Coordinates of all heavy atoms in Angstrom, one line a residue:
M1063 N 0.8 -1.2 0.0 CA 0.0 0.0 0.0 C 0.9 1.2 0.0 O 1.9 1.3 0.6 CB -0.9 0.0 1.2 CG -1.8 1.2 1.2 SD -2.9 1.6 2.5 CE -3.3 0.4 3.5
S1064 N 0.5 2.2 -0.7 CA 1.2 3.5 -0.8 C 1.2 4.2 0.5 O 0.3 4.2 1.3 CB 0.6 4.4 -1.9 OG 1.2 5.6 -1.8
R1065 N 2.3 4.9 0.8 CA 2.4 5.6 2.1 C 1.5 6.8 2.1 O 1.0 7.2 3.2 CB 3.9 6.1 2.3 CG 4.1 6.8 3.6 CD 5.6 7.1 3.7 NE 5.8 7.7 5.0 CZ 6.1 7.1 6.1 NH1 6.2 5.8 6.2 NH2 6.3 7.8 7.2
N1066 N 1.1 7.3 1.0 CA 0.2 8.4 0.9 C -1.3 8.0 0.6 O -2.1 8.8 0.3 CB 0.6 9.4 -0.2 CG 1.9 10.0 0.1 OD1 2.2 10.3 1.3 ND2 2.7 10.3 -0.9
A1067 N -1.6 6.7 0.8 CA -3.0 6.3 0.6 C -3.9 7.0 1.6 O -3.6 7.2 2.8 CB -3.1 4.8 0.8
G1068 N -5.0 7.5 1.1 CA -6.0 8.2 2.0 C -5.8 9.6 2.1 O -6.5 10.3 2.8
T1069 N -4.7 10.2 1.5 CA -4.5 11.6 1.6 C -5.3 12.3 0.5 O -5.8 11.7 -0.4 CB -3.0 12.0 1.5 OG1 -2.5 11.5 0.3 CG2 -2.3 11.4 2.6
G1070 N -5.3 13.6 0.5 CA -6.1 14.3 -0.5 C -7.3 15.0 0.3 O -7.5 14.7 1.4
L1071 N -7.9 15.9 -0.4 CA -9.0 16.7 0.3 C -10.1 15.7 0.7 O -10.5 14.8 0.0 CB -9.6 17.7 -0.7 CG -8.8 18.9 -0.9 CD1 -9.5 19.9 -1.9 CD2 -8.4 19.7 0.4
H1072 N -10.6 15.9 1.9 CA -11.7 15.2 2.5 C -12.8 16.2 2.7 O -12.8 16.8 3.8 CB -11.3 14.4 3.8 CG -12.3 13.5 4.3 ND1 -13.2 13.8 5.3 CD2 -12.6 12.2 3.9 CE1 -14.0 12.8 5.5 NE2 -13.7 11.8 4.7
W1073 N -13.7 16.3 1.7 CA -14.7 17.4 1.7 C -15.6 17.5 2.9 O -15.8 18.5 3.5 CB -15.4 17.4 0.4 CG -14.6 18.0 -0.7 CD1 -14.0 17.3 -1.7 CD2 -14.2 19.3 -0.9 NE1 -13.3 18.1 -2.5 CE2 -13.4 19.4 -2.1 CE3 -14.5 20.5 -0.2 CZ2 -12.8 20.6 -2.5 CZ3 -13.9 21.7 -0.7 CH2 -13.1 21.7 -1.9
P1074 N -16.1 16.3 3.4 CA -17.1 16.4 4.5 C -16.4 17.0 5.8 O -16.9 17.9 6.5 CB -17.5 15.0 4.8 CG -17.3 14.3 3.4 CD -16.1 15.0 2.8
A1075 N -15.2 16.6 6.0 CA -14.4 17.1 7.2 C -14.1 18.5 7.0 O -14.2 19.3 8.0 CB -13.2 16.2 7.5
L1076 N -13.6 18.9 5.8 CA -13.2 20.3 5.6 C -14.4 21.2 5.7 O -14.3 22.3 6.3 CB -12.6 20.4 4.2 CG -12.0 21.8 3.8 CD1 -11.0 22.2 4.8 CD2 -11.4 21.7 2.4
L1077 N -15.5 20.8 5.1 CA -16.7 21.7 5.2 C -17.2 21.8 6.6 O -17.7 22.8 7.0 CB -17.8 21.1 4.3 CG -17.5 21.2 2.8 CD1 -18.6 20.5 2.0 CD2 -17.3 22.7 2.4
T1078 N -17.1 20.7 7.4 CA -17.5 20.8 8.8 C -16.6 21.8 9.6 O -17.1 22.6 10.4 CB -17.4 19.4 9.5 OG1 -18.2 18.5 8.8 CG2 -17.7 19.5 11.0
G1079 N -15.3 21.7 9.3 CA -14.4 22.7 10.0 C -14.7 24.1 9.6 O -14.7 25.0 10.4
L1080 N -14.9 24.3 8.3 CA -15.2 25.7 7.8 C -16.6 26.2 8.4 O -16.7 27.3 8.8 CB -15.3 25.7 6.3 CG -14.0 25.6 5.6 CD1 -14.2 25.4 4.1 CD2 -13.2 26.9 5.8
A1081 N -17.6 25.3 8.5 CA -18.9 25.7 9.0 C -18.7 26.1 10.5 O -19.3 27.1 11.0 CB -19.9 24.6 8.9
L1082 N -18.0 25.3 11.3 CA -17.8 25.6 12.7 C -17.0 26.9 12.9 O -17.3 27.7 13.8 CB -17.1 24.5 13.4 CG -17.9 23.2 13.6 CD1 -17.1 22.1 14.2 CD2 -19.1 23.5 14.6
M1083 N -16.0 27.1 12.0 CA -15.2 28.4 12.1 C -16.2 29.6 11.8 O -16.1 30.6 12.6 CB -14.1 28.3 11.1 CG -13.3 29.6 11.1 SD -12.2 29.7 9.7 CE -13.3 29.9 8.3
L1084 N -16.9 29.5 10.8 CA -17.8 30.6 10.4 C -18.9 30.8 11.4 O -19.2 32.0 11.8 CB -18.4 30.4 9.0 CG -17.4 30.5 7.9 CD1 -18.1 30.1 6.6 CD2 -16.9 31.9 7.8
A1085 N -19.5 29.7 11.9 CA -20.6 29.9 12.9 C -20.0 30.5 14.2 O -20.7 31.3 14.8 CB -21.2 28.5 13.2
G1086 N -18.8 30.1 14.6 CA -18.3 30.6 15.9 C -17.8 32.1 15.7 O -17.8 32.9 16.6
T1087 N -17.5 32.5 14.5 CA -17.1 33.9 14.2 C -18.3 34.8 14.1 O -18.4 35.9 14.7 CB -16.3 33.9 12.9 OG1 -15.2 33.1 13.0 CG2 -15.9 35.4 12.6
V1088 N -19.4 34.3 13.5 CA -20.6 35.1 13.3 C -21.4 35.1 14.6 O -22.0 36.1 14.9 CB -21.4 34.6 12.1 CG1 -22.8 35.2 12.0 CG2 -20.7 34.7 10.8
Y1089 N -21.4 34.0 15.3 CA -22.3 33.9 16.5 C -21.5 33.3 17.6 O -21.6 32.1 17.9 CB -23.5 33.0 16.2 CG -24.5 33.0 17.3 CD1 -25.3 34.1 17.6 CD2 -24.8 31.8 18.0 CE1 -26.2 34.1 18.6 CE2 -25.7 31.8 19.0 CZ -26.4 32.9 19.3 OH -27.4 32.9 20.3
P1090 N -20.6 34.1 18.3 CA -19.8 33.5 19.3 C -20.5 33.0 20.6 O -20.0 32.2 21.3 CB -18.9 34.7 19.8 CG -19.4 35.9 19.1 CD -20.4 35.5 18.0
R1091 N -21.8 33.3 20.7 CA -22.6 32.8 21.8 C -22.8 31.3 21.6 O -23.3 30.6 22.5 CB -23.9 33.5 21.9 CG -23.8 34.9 22.4 CD -25.1 35.5 22.8 NE -25.7 34.6 23.8 CZ -26.4 34.9 24.8 NH1 -26.6 36.2 25.0 NH2 -26.9 34.1 25.7
L1092 N -22.4 30.7 20.5 CA -22.5 29.3 20.3 C -21.7 28.6 21.3 O -22.0 27.5 21.7 CB -21.9 29.0 18.9 CG -21.8 27.5 18.5 CD1 -23.2 26.9 18.3 CD2 -21.0 27.4 17.2
F1093 N -20.6 29.2 21.8 CA -19.7 28.6 22.8 C -20.1 29.0 24.3 O -19.3 28.8 25.2 CB -18.3 29.0 22.6 CG -17.8 28.7 21.2 CD1 -17.7 29.7 20.2 CD2 -17.6 27.4 20.8 CE1 -17.3 29.5 19.0 CE2 -17.2 27.1 19.5 CZ -17.0 28.1 18.6
A1094 N -21.3 29.6 24.5 CA -21.7 30.0 25.8 C -22.9 29.3 26.3 O -23.6 28.6 25.6 CB -22.1 31.5 25.7
Q1095 N -23.1 29.4 27.6 CA -24.2 28.8 28.2 C -25.4 29.7 28.1 O -25.3 30.8 27.6 CB -24.0 28.6 29.7 CG -22.8 27.6 30.0 CD -22.5 27.5 31.5 OE1 -23.1 28.2 32.3 NE2 -21.6 26.6 31.8
A1096 N -26.6 29.3 28.5 CA -27.8 30.0 28.3 C -27.7 31.4 29.1 O -28.3 32.4 28.6 CB -29.0 29.2 28.8
D1097 N -27.0 31.4 30.2 CA -26.9 32.7 31.0 C -25.8 33.6 30.5 O -25.5 34.6 31.1 CB -26.7 32.3 32.4 CG -25.5 31.6 32.7 OD1 -24.7 31.3 31.8 OD2 -25.2 31.2 33.9
G1098 N -25.1 33.2 29.4 CA -24.1 34.0 28.8 C -22.6 33.7 29.2 O -21.7 34.2 28.7
R1099 N -22.5 32.9 30.3 CA -21.1 32.5 30.7 C -20.5 31.5 29.7 O -21.3 30.8 29.0 CB -21.1 31.8 32.1 CG -21.5 32.8 33.2 CD -21.5 32.2 34.5 NE -22.4 31.1 34.6 CZ -22.2 29.9 35.2 NH1 -21.1 29.7 35.8 NH2 -23.1 29.0 35.2
A1100 N -19.2 31.5 29.6 CA -18.5 30.6 28.6 C -18.8 29.1 29.1 O -18.7 28.8 30.3 CB -17.0 30.9 28.6
D1101 N -19.1 28.3 28.1 CA -19.2 26.8 28.4 C -17.9 26.2 27.8 O -17.8 25.9 26.7 CB -20.4 26.3 27.6 CG -20.7 24.9 28.0 OD1 -19.8 24.2 28.5 OD2 -21.9 24.5 27.8
H1102 N -17.0 26.0 28.7 CA -15.7 25.5 28.3 C -15.7 24.1 27.8 O -15.0 23.8 26.8 CB -14.7 25.6 29.5 CG -14.4 27.0 29.9 ND1 -15.1 27.7 30.9 CD2 -13.6 28.0 29.3 CE1 -14.7 28.9 31.0 NE2 -13.8 29.1 30.0
G1103 N -16.5 23.2 28.3 CA -16.6 21.9 27.8 C -17.1 21.8 26.4 O -16.6 21.1 25.5
L1104 N -18.2 22.6 26.1 CA -18.7 22.7 24.8 C -17.7 23.3 23.8 O -17.6 22.8 22.7 CB -20.0 23.5 24.8 CG -20.7 23.7 23.4 CD1 -21.1 22.3 22.9 CD2 -21.9 24.6 23.6
A1105 N -17.0 24.3 24.3 CA -16.0 25.0 23.4 C -14.9 24.0 23.1 O -14.5 23.9 21.9 CB -15.5 26.2 24.1
V1106 N -14.4 23.2 24.0 CA -13.4 22.2 23.7 C -13.8 21.2 22.7 O -13.1 20.9 21.7 CB -12.9 21.5 25.0 CG1 -12.1 20.3 24.7 CG2 -12.1 22.5 25.9
L1107 N -15.0 20.7 22.8 CA -15.6 19.8 21.9 C -15.7 20.3 20.5 O -15.4 19.7 19.5 CB -16.9 19.2 22.4 CG -16.8 18.3 23.6 CD1 -18.1 18.0 24.2 CD2 -16.0 17.0 23.3
L1108 N -16.2 21.6 20.4 CA -16.4 22.2 19.1 C -15.1 22.6 18.5 O -14.9 22.4 17.2 CB -17.3 23.4 19.2 CG -18.8 23.1 19.5 CD1 -19.6 24.4 19.8 CD2 -19.4 22.4 18.4
F1109 N -14.1 23.0 19.3 CA -12.8 23.4 18.7 C -12.1 22.1 18.3 O -11.3 22.1 17.3 CB -12.0 24.1 19.7 CG -12.4 25.6 19.9 CD1 -12.5 26.1 21.1 CD2 -12.8 26.3 18.8 CE1 -12.9 27.4 21.3 CE2 -13.2 27.6 19.0 CZ -13.2 28.2 20.2
W1110 N -12.3 21.0 19.0 CA -11.7 19.7 18.6 C -12.3 19.3 17.2 O -11.6 18.9 16.3 CB -11.9 18.6 19.6 CG -11.5 17.3 19.3 CD1 -10.5 16.9 18.4 CD2 -12.0 16.0 19.8 NE1 -10.4 15.5 18.3 CE2 -11.3 15.0 19.2 CE3 -13.0 15.8 20.7 CZ2 -11.6 13.6 19.5 CZ3 -13.3 14.4 21.0 CH2 -12.6 13.4 20.4
A1111 N -13.6 19.4 17.1 CA -14.3 19.0 15.8 C -13.8 19.9 14.7 O -13.5 19.4 13.6 CB -15.8 19.1 16.0
M1112 N -13.6 21.2 15.0 CA -13.1 22.1 14.0 C -11.7 21.8 13.6 O -11.4 21.8 12.4 CB -13.2 23.6 14.5 CG -12.8 24.6 13.4 SD -13.0 26.3 14.0 CE -12.0 26.4 15.4
S1113 N -10.8 21.6 14.5 CA -9.4 21.2 14.3 C -9.3 19.9 13.5 O -8.6 19.9 12.5 CB -8.7 21.1 15.6 OG -8.7 22.4 16.3
A1114 N -10.0 18.9 13.9 CA -10.0 17.6 13.2 C -10.5 17.8 11.8 O -10.0 17.2 10.9 CB -10.8 16.6 14.0
G1115 N -11.6 18.6 11.6 CA -12.1 18.9 10.3 C -11.1 19.5 9.4 O -10.9 19.1 8.2
F1116 N -10.4 20.5 9.9 CA -9.4 21.2 9.1 C -8.2 20.2 8.8 O -7.7 20.2 7.6 CB -8.8 22.4 9.8 CG -9.8 23.6 9.6 CD1 -10.0 24.4 10.7 CD2 -10.4 23.9 8.4 CE1 -10.8 25.5 10.6 CE2 -11.2 25.0 8.3 CZ -11.5 25.8 9.4
V1117 N -7.7 19.6 9.8 CA -6.5 18.7 9.6 C -6.8 17.6 8.6 O -6.1 17.4 7.6 CB -6.0 18.1 10.9 CG1 -4.9 17.1 10.7 CG2 -5.4 19.2 11.8
R1118 N -7.9 16.9 8.8 CA -8.2 15.8 7.9 C -8.8 16.3 6.6 O -8.5 15.8 5.5 CB -9.3 14.9 8.5 CG -9.7 13.7 7.6 CD -8.5 12.8 7.2 NE -8.9 11.9 6.2 CZ -8.5 11.9 5.0 NH1 -7.7 12.9 4.5 NH2 -8.9 11.0 4.1
G1119 N -9.4 17.5 6.6 CA -10.0 18.0 5.4 C -9.0 18.4 4.4 O -9.3 18.3 3.2
V1120 N -7.9 19.0 4.8 CA -6.9 19.4 3.8 C -6.0 18.2 3.4 O -5.2 18.4 2.5 CB -6.0 20.5 4.3 CG1 -6.8 21.7 4.6 CG2 -5.2 20.1 5.5
G1121 N -6.2 17.0 3.9 CA -5.5 15.8 3.5 C -4.4 15.4 4.3 O -3.7 14.5 4.0
F1122 N -4.1 16.1 5.4 CA -3.0 15.7 6.3 C -3.4 14.5 7.2 O -4.4 14.6 7.8 CB -2.5 16.9 7.1 CG -1.4 16.6 8.0 CD1 -0.1 16.5 7.5 CD2 -1.5 16.4 9.4 CE1 1.0 16.2 8.3 CE2 -0.5 16.1 10.2 CZ 0.8 16.0 9.6
V1123 N -2.6 13.5 7.2 CA -2.8 12.3 8.0 C -1.5 12.1 8.9 O -0.5 11.8 8.3 CB -3.1 11.1 7.2 CG1 -3.3 9.9 8.1 CG2 -4.3 11.3 6.3
P1124 N -1.6 12.4 10.2 CA -0.4 12.3 11.0 C 0.1 10.8 11.0 O -0.6 9.9 10.8 CB -0.9 12.7 12.4 CG -2.1 13.5 12.2 CD -2.7 12.9 10.9
R1125 N 1.4 10.7 11.3 CA 2.0 9.4 11.2 C 1.7 8.6 12.5 O 1.5 7.4 12.4 CB 3.6 9.5 11.1 CG 4.0 10.0 9.7 CD 5.4 10.0 9.6 NE 5.8 10.5 8.3 CZ 7.0 10.9 8.0 NH1 8.0 10.7 8.9 NH2 7.3 11.4 6.8
Q1126 N 1.8 9.2 13.7 CA 1.6 8.5 14.9 C 0.1 8.3 15.2 O -0.7 9.1 15.0 CB 2.3 9.2 16.1 CG 3.8 9.3 15.9 CD 4.4 9.9 17.1 OE1 3.8 10.3 18.0 NE2 5.8 9.9 17.0
R1127 N -0.2 7.1 15.7 CA -1.6 6.6 15.8 C -2.4 7.5 16.7 O -3.6 7.8 16.3 CB -1.6 5.2 16.4 CG -2.9 4.5 16.3 CD -2.8 3.1 16.7 NE -1.9 2.5 15.8 CZ -2.0 1.3 15.3 NH1 -3.0 0.5 15.7 NH2 -1.1 0.7 14.5
P1128 N -2.0 8.0 17.9 CA -2.9 8.8 18.7 C -3.3 10.1 17.9 O -4.4 10.5 18.0 CB -2.1 9.1 19.9 CG -1.0 8.1 20.0 CD -0.7 7.7 18.6
W1129 N -2.3 10.7 17.3 CA -2.6 12.0 16.6 C -3.5 11.7 15.3 O -4.3 12.5 15.0 CB -1.3 12.7 16.2 CG -0.5 13.1 17.3 CD1 0.7 12.7 17.7 CD2 -0.9 14.1 18.3 NE1 1.1 13.3 18.8 CE2 0.2 14.1 19.3 CE3 -2.0 14.8 18.6 CZ2 0.2 15.0 20.4 CZ3 -2.0 15.7 19.7 CH2 -1.0 15.7 20.6
R1130 N -3.2 10.6 14.7 CA -4.0 10.2 13.5 C -5.5 10.0 13.9 O -6.3 10.4 13.2 CB -3.4 8.9 12.9 CG -4.0 8.6 11.6 CD -3.3 7.5 10.9 NE -2.9 6.4 11.7 CZ -1.7 5.8 11.8 NH1 -0.8 6.3 11.0 NH2 -1.5 4.8 12.6
W1131 N -5.7 9.4 15.1 CA -7.1 9.3 15.5 C -7.7 10.6 15.9 O -8.9 10.9 15.6 CB -7.3 8.3 16.6 CG -8.7 8.1 16.9 CD1 -9.5 7.2 16.2 CD2 -9.5 8.8 17.8 NE1 -10.8 7.3 16.7 CE2 -10.8 8.3 17.7 CE3 -9.3 9.8 18.8 CZ2 -11.9 8.8 18.4 CZ3 -10.4 10.3 19.5 CH2 -11.6 9.8 19.3
L1132 N -7.0 11.4 16.7 CA -7.5 12.7 17.2 C -7.9 13.7 16.1 O -8.7 14.5 16.3 CB -6.5 13.3 18.2 CG -6.4 12.8 19.6 CD1 -5.3 13.4 20.3 CD2 -7.7 13.1 20.3
F1133 N -7.2 13.5 15.0 CA -7.5 14.5 13.9 C -8.0 13.7 12.6 O -7.8 14.1 11.5 CB -6.2 15.2 13.5 CG -5.7 16.1 14.6 CD1 -4.6 15.9 15.3 CD2 -6.5 17.2 15.0 CE1 -4.1 16.7 16.3 CE2 -6.1 18.0 16.0 CZ -4.9 17.8 16.7
S1134 N -8.8 12.7 12.9 CA -9.4 12.0 11.8 C -10.9 12.5 11.5 O -11.4 13.2 12.3 CB -9.5 10.5 12.1 OG -10.4 10.3 13.2
G1135 N -11.4 12.0 10.4 CA -12.8 12.3 10.1 C -13.8 11.8 11.2 O -14.8 12.4 11.5
Q1136 N -13.5 10.6 11.7 CA -14.3 9.9 12.7 C -14.2 10.7 14.0 O -15.3 10.9 14.7 CB -13.9 8.5 12.9 CG -14.1 7.6 11.8 CD -13.0 7.5 10.8 OE1 -12.0 8.3 10.9 NE2 -13.1 6.7 9.8
A1137 N -13.1 11.2 14.3 CA -13.0 12.1 15.5 C -13.7 13.4 15.4 O -14.4 13.8 16.4 CB -11.5 12.3 15.8
C1138 N -13.7 13.9 14.2 CA -14.5 15.1 13.9 C -16.0 14.9 14.2 O -16.7 15.7 14.9 CB -14.3 15.6 12.5 SG -15.2 17.0 12.0
M1139 N -16.5 13.8 13.7 CA -17.9 13.4 13.9 C -18.2 13.1 15.3 O -19.2 13.5 15.9 CB -18.3 12.3 13.0 CG -19.8 11.9 13.0 SD -20.8 13.3 12.6 CE -20.6 13.5 10.9
A1140 N -17.3 12.4 16.0 CA -17.5 12.0 17.4 C -17.5 13.3 18.3 O -18.4 13.4 19.2 CB -16.4 11.1 17.9
A1141 N -16.7 14.2 18.0 CA -16.7 15.5 18.8 C -18.0 16.3 18.5 O -18.5 16.9 19.5 CB -15.5 16.3 18.4
L1142 N -18.5 16.2 17.3 CA -19.7 16.9 17.0 C -20.9 16.3 17.8 O -21.8 17.0 18.3 CB -20.0 16.9 15.5 CG -19.4 18.0 14.7 CD1 -19.7 17.8 13.2 CD2 -19.8 19.4 15.2
V1143 N -20.9 15.0 17.8 CA -22.0 14.3 18.5 C -21.9 14.5 20.0 O -22.9 14.8 20.7 CB -21.9 12.7 18.2 CG1 -22.8 12.0 19.2 CG2 -22.3 12.5 16.8
L1144 N -20.7 14.5 20.6 CA -20.5 14.8 22.0 C -20.9 16.2 22.3 O -21.5 16.5 23.3 CB -19.1 14.5 22.4 CG -18.7 13.0 22.4 CD1 -17.2 12.9 22.7 CD2 -19.4 12.3 23.5
A1145 N -20.6 17.2 21.4 CA -20.9 18.6 21.6 C -22.5 18.7 21.6 O -23.0 19.5 22.4 CB -20.3 19.4 20.5
A1146 N -23.1 18.0 20.7 CA -24.6 18.1 20.7 C -25.2 17.5 22.0 O -26.2 18.1 22.5 CB -25.1 17.3 19.5
L1147 N -24.7 16.4 22.4 CA -25.1 15.8 23.7 C -24.9 16.8 24.9 O -25.7 17.0 25.7 CB -24.5 14.5 23.9 CG -24.9 13.4 23.0 CD1 -24.1 12.1 23.2 CD2 -26.4 13.1 23.1
W1148 N -23.7 17.4 24.9 CA -23.3 18.3 25.9 C -24.3 19.5 25.9 O -24.7 20.0 27.0 CB -21.9 18.8 25.7 CG -21.3 19.7 26.8 CD1 -21.6 21.0 27.0 CD2 -20.4 19.3 27.8 NE1 -20.9 21.5 28.1 CE2 -20.1 20.5 28.6 CE3 -19.7 18.1 28.1 CZ2 -19.3 20.4 29.6 CZ3 -18.9 18.1 29.2 CH2 -18.6 19.3 29.9
A1149 N -24.5 20.1 24.7 CA -25.4 21.3 24.6 C -26.8 20.9 25.0 O -27.5 21.7 25.7 CB -25.3 21.8 23.2
G1150 N -27.3 19.7 24.6 CA -28.6 19.3 25.0 C -28.8 19.1 26.5 O -29.8 19.5 27.0
R1151 N -27.8 18.5 27.1 CA -27.8 18.3 28.5 C -27.8 19.7 29.3 O -28.5 19.9 30.2 CB -26.6 17.5 29.0 CG -26.6 17.2 30.5 CD -25.3 16.5 30.9 NE -24.1 17.3 30.6 CZ -23.6 18.3 31.4 NH1 -24.3 18.6 32.5 NH2 -22.6 18.9 31.1
A1152 N -27.0 20.6 28.7 CA -27.0 22.0 29.4 C -28.3 22.7 29.3 O -28.6 23.5 30.1 CB -25.9 22.8 28.7
H1153 N -29.1 22.4 28.3 CA -30.4 23.0 28.1 C -31.6 22.2 28.6 O -32.7 22.4 28.3 CB -30.6 23.4 26.6 CG -29.7 24.5 26.2 ND1 -29.8 25.8 26.5 CD2 -28.6 24.4 25.4 CE1 -28.9 26.5 26.0 NE2 -28.1 25.7 25.3
G1154 N -31.2 21.1 29.4 CA -32.3 20.3 30.0 C -32.9 19.2 29.2 O -33.9 18.7 29.6
L1155 N -32.3 18.9 28.0 CA -32.9 17.8 27.2 C -32.4 16.5 27.7 O -31.2 16.4 28.2 CB -32.4 18.0 25.8 CG -32.9 19.3 25.1 CD1 -32.3 19.3 23.7 CD2 -34.4 19.3 25.0
R1156 N -33.2 15.5 27.7 CA -32.8 14.2 28.2 C -32.8 13.2 27.0 O -33.8 13.2 26.2 CB -33.8 13.7 29.2 CG -33.9 14.6 30.4 CD -34.6 14.0 31.5 NE -33.8 12.9 32.0 CZ -34.2 12.1 33.0 NH1 -35.3 12.3 33.6 NH2 -33.4 11.1 33.4
F1157 N -31.7 12.5 26.8 CA -31.5 11.6 25.7 C -31.8 10.2 26.0 O -31.9 9.3 25.2 CB -30.1 11.8 25.1 CG -29.9 13.2 24.6 CD1 -29.2 14.1 25.3 CD2 -30.4 13.5 23.4 CE1 -28.9 15.3 24.8 CE2 -30.2 14.8 22.9 CZ -29.4 15.7 23.6
V1158 N -31.9 9.9 27.3 CA -32.1 8.5 27.8 C -33.4 8.6 28.6 O -33.5 9.4 29.6 CB -30.9 8.0 28.6 CG1 -31.2 6.6 29.1 CG2 -29.7 8.1 27.8
P1159 N -34.4 7.7 28.4 CA -35.6 7.7 29.2 C -35.3 7.3 30.6 O -34.4 6.6 30.9 CB -36.5 6.6 28.5 CG -35.7 6.0 27.4 CD -34.4 6.7 27.3
A1160 N -36.0 7.9 31.5 CA -35.8 7.7 33.0 C -36.3 6.4 33.4 O -37.2 5.8 32.9 CB -36.5 8.8 33.8

């Protein structure tokens, strides 16, 4: 297998990174709680998704396994799902029946 297999633009990840960047720039309250205070947990998850989207989106694949996973397309999606769950929990939504 070629050492560069799987490189090249990965449009879904790149578009996710761009969308998060633009959304956070236009509407910075995206990273805040309902009362206006910063939600650091949500911000970390969204910034991780954005970073992974950019890194994988431009076609860079790190050599070492931990970095390769942290900046993969799957990690981008996982961070987005975790951010959605985090935001839902912060606004009182329940995802698991009692």
Side-chain angles (χ1 to χ4, degrees):
M1063 180 181 346
S1064 170
R1065 184 172 180 90
N1066 293 329
T1069 61
L1071 287 179
H1072 188 261
W1073 286 104
L1076 184 59
L1077 292 174
T1078 299
L1080 286 169
L1082 287 171
M1083 178 192 67
L1084 290 173
T1087 301
V1088 172
Y1089 188 67
R1091 290 195 55 145
L1092 177 68
F1093 305 108
Q1095 296 175 356
D1097 62 1
R1099 292 182 299 138
D1101 189 340
H1102 294 96
L1104 179 62
V1106 165
L1107 291 169
L1108 289 174
F1109 287 137
W1110 174 28
M1112 182 175 62
S1113 300
F1116 282 136
V1117 170
R1118 178 61 188 109
V1120 298
F1122 181 74
V1123 179
R1125 290 184 185 169
Q1126 294 186 358
R1127 191 174 303 216
W1129 298 114
R1130 190 171 41 229
W1131 186 83
L1132 280 172
F1133 295 112
S1134 67
Q1136 293 88 355
C1138 178
M1139 185 56 71
L1142 276 178
V1143 168
L1144 289 172
L1147 293 173
W1148 185 284
R1151 183 187 57 85
H1153 292 285
L1155 299 177
R1156 299 191 69 179
F1157 297 101
V1158 179

